[in-house]
Amino acid sequence: SAVISQKPSRDICQRGTSLTIQCQVDSQVTMMFWYRQQPGQSLTLIATANQGSEATYESGFVIDKFPISRPNLTFSTLTVSNMSPEDSSIYLCSVEGGSGEPYNEQFFGPGTRLTVL
Amino acid sequence: EDQVTQSPEALRLQEGESSSLNCSYTVSGLRGLFWYRQDPGKGPEFLFTLYSAGEEKEKERLKATLTKKESFLHITAPKPEDSATYLCAVQAVDDYKLSFGAGTTVTVRA
């Protein structure tokens, strides 16, 4: 299984500022995903990030608010821009691993807990 | 649109009291159904992927089963360390994203 680390693990930010979250994987992966988990709720996909191409955003999420970089096969960043208290959530990156179809597994990082004041 | 409904929302068990969690789903075509365990303040921990109706997988005290409409996660003789939120997610054949249910929070008392 893939080992995923995220930085920072938590942060408290002022409204109107931006925060960049880093995701590092211990092996090369094609697809990386960014999810949001709002307080007391389940996970919602923000976007899919493939190396060498623009990220694909889900309905309700836009690049200006959540710009994503994917410079290589082991690293990605998610920026939460112009933050408001509604952005307070846990942000999680995940990767798809396994040895090919049908051995499909998705692994998650430990998450970044963001509080916006 | 893919939909995942988990029940019950919360489950309180006595140590050793076996029970089952339900995950009902609708998806255009199922690529995989995933079960995760999530502890407070942590990311989801992968448990199983099920691919076709009739499939079963086991891990320690956990057993997952799959039908065409739902999946069950059976917890046999649970221990307090099995206390967590269990999440179910589906993946469609034409997509890689996971659509999650709201989860079942399991509390096991000693």
Side-chain angles (χ1 to χ4, degrees), chain A residues 5-61:
Chain A
S5 60
Q6 289 186 231
K7 292 181 180 180
S9 59
R10 61 178 60 226
D11 207 342
I12 301 174
C13 301
Q14 297 296 320
R15 71 171 63 211
T17 63
S18 298
L19 176 71
T20 296
I21 302 167
Q22 299 179 6
C23 177
Q24 180 75 52
V25 188
D26 69 341
S27 58
Q28 294 185 340
V29 295
T30 301
M31 305 187 75
M32 296 180 75
F33 308 89
W34 286 98
Y35 286 82
R36 181 175 74 180
Q37 187 172 29
Q38 294 179 300
Q41 298 190 28
S42 195
L43 284 74
T44 301
L45 181 66
I46 298 171
T48 302
N50 292 334
Q51 196 266 337
S53 63
E54 293 289 325
T56 302
Y57 289 83
E58 296 298 304
S59 176
F61 298 97

Side-chain angles (χ1 to χ4, degrees), chain A residues 62-105:
Chain A
V62 295
I63 188 171
D64 290 345
K65 176 67 175 176
F66 298 102
I68 289 171
S69 77
R70 182 78 200 275
N72 58 52
L73 291 175
T74 63
F75 187 79
S76 179
T77 67
L78 170 75
T79 299
V80 186
S81 303
N82 187 25
M83 288 184 286
S84 67
E86 292 70 37
D87 294 318
S88 297
S89 294
I90 299 173
Y91 292 86
L92 297 141
C93 72
S94 76
V95 302
E96 182 157 284
S99 55
E101 296 286 354
Y103 305 107
N104 174 29
E105 302 172 348

Side-chain angles (χ1 to χ4, degrees), chain A residues 31 33 35 37 40-45 48 58 90 92 96 101-111 113, chain B residues 6 31-32 34 36 38 40-46 49 51 87-88 91 95-103:
Chain A
M31 305 187 75
F33 308 89
Y35 286 82
Q37 187 172 29
Q41 298 190 28
S42 195
L43 284 74
T44 301
L45 181 66
T48 302
E58 296 298 304
I90 299 173
L92 297 141
E96 182 157 284
E101 296 286 354
Y103 305 107
N104 174 29
E105 302 172 348
Q106 285 199 14
F107 303 100
F108 283 83
R113 182 180 295 272
Chain B
Q6 292 187 247
R31 181 170 181 238
F34 296 71
Y36 289 88
Q38 186 174 29
K42 296 188 177 181
E45 174 190 347
F46 173 80
T49 308
Y51 297 97
L87 299 170
C88 172
Q91 186 181 53
D95 204 348
Y96 286 93
K97 76 174 185 182
L98 299 182
S99 298
F100 280 85

Side-chain angles (χ1 to χ4, degrees), chain B residues 38-67:
Chain B
Q38 186 174 29
D39 293 305
K42 296 188 177 181
E45 174 190 347
F46 173 80
L47 294 174
F48 307 108
T49 308
L50 301 169
Y51 297 97
S52 58
E55 188 175 3
E56 300 182 351
K57 288 190 176 177
E58 292 188 58
K59 181 179 181 179
E60 297 180 355
R61 294 177 292 282
L62 301 176
K63 179 180 177 180
T65 63
L66 181 65
T67 74

Side-chain angles (χ1 to χ4, degrees), chain A residues 42, chain B residues 4-10 21 85-88 100-105:
Chain A
S42 195
Chain B
V4 181
T5 303
Q6 292 187 247
S7 62
E9 291 184 10
L21 285 56
T85 295
Y86 291 86
L87 299 170
C88 172
F100 280 85
T104 295
T105 300

